[in-house]
Amino acid sequence: MKKTLSILLIMLLLTACGAKDGVSPSQPDSDPAPQASRALPELEETDWEALSTDAAAFGLSGGPDDPNFEYIFSHMDTVPLDQLVVFILTADGAYSEGATDELYHRFLEAPHKVLAYLVLLDGQITELPGWEPMPAAEIVCQFIATTDAVMYGGTEEFAQTLSACRESYPEGPAAELLDILEREHADALERSQSES
């Protein structure tokens, strides 16, 4: 599973980022079209998921008595991104706050990798207690954006990261995720300021 995910991430990043000097491996050097104007390929529709946000698939029960839960809680800075996200979607607020902060920092550190992961979630629906069923990628975007807005007051680093990603993903699924991040960030900043 990890090898397949790694291959998919590499392919997605190569497609998005191209080779040296903004030239994709399939683009001849003489092509004057800027990289940002080319659309990224859409993911194929399949009966199987590339990734899962189902806690049971990870043997995660969602409580501190579960050794898998305890392991992720104790190793949030080193567990794979998929386990961190499933932990966040499974744990209650007291346990997930640190994991959400870790996810936020991973987004700042490697936004293309996090966006590729979210694109691969491809419409999986998650139902959190007290929330309407929503696409898991949208929930994760909310967590990332809200963390910057509420915990850090809206940072320039986050704004610059979104802006740089916009240049790489002008359209397609990653661009839609950036729309969600921007919208949720603005909403969270507004809520945070009105509560102050």
Side-chain angles (χ1 to χ4, degrees):
M1 174 79 169
K2 287 184 183 176
K3 186 174 184 180
T4 303
L5 176 58
S6 297
I7 291 169
L8 288 171
L9 289 173
I10 289 169
M11 288 174 54
L12 183 63
L13 290 175
L14 287 176
T15 302
C17 299
K20 62 179 177 155
D21 299 321
V23 178
S24 72
S26 62
Q27 176 188 12
D29 290 343
S30 62
D31 185 355
Q35 178 183 349
S37 68
R38 290 187 301 275
L40 299 176
E42 295 291 322
L43 296 178
E44 300 85 357
E45 292 291 325
T46 61
D47 292 334
W48 47 266
E49 300 291 347
L51 301 169
S52 175
T53 58
D54 181 6
F58 293 86
L60 199 60
S61 71
D65 296 333
D66 176 1
N68 293 334
F69 184 93
E70 182 58 37
Y71 179 83
I72 295 171
F73 181 72
S74 300
H75 298 88
M76 281 188 259
D77 58 336
T78 59
V79 295
L81 182 59
D82 58 353
Q83 291 180 34
L84 182 66
V85 168
V86 170
F87 180 88
I88 290 168
L89 296 175
T90 305
D92 66 25
Y95 289 102
S96 66
E97 187 175 324
T100 304
D101 189 54
E102 173 65 24
L103 174 65
Y104 163 75
H105 283 94
R106 287 188 189 194
F107 176 74
L108 293 179
E109 176 188 354
H112 300 290
K113 186 176 281 191
V114 173
L115 286 171
Y117 167 79
L118 294 174
V119 167
L120 289 173
L121 289 178
D122 194 27
Q124 287 186 53
I125 303 297
T126 299
E127 189 171 349
L128 298 178
W131 292 43
E132 292 293 321
M134 295 174 58
E138 189 170 332
I139 295 171
V140 172
C141 286
Q142 286 185 9
F143 288 154
I144 293 169
T146 301
T147 299
D148 183 74
V150 175
M151 291 181 65
Y152 298 99
T155 66
E156 185 61 30
E157 183 180 9
F158 185 77
Q160 288 174 353
T161 299
L162 291 181
S163 178
C165 287
R166 276 283 177 211
E167 292 179 18
S168 297
Y169 309 107
E171 56 188 22
E176 293 169 13
L177 292 170
L178 292 170
D179 291 342
I180 295 167
L181 283 163
E182 289 172 348
R183 183 180 63 243
E184 294 301 328
H185 190 258
D187 290 349
L189 275 175
E190 186 177 319
R191 284 191 309 270
S192 179
Q193 291 168 355
S194 68
E195 292 170 3
S196 298

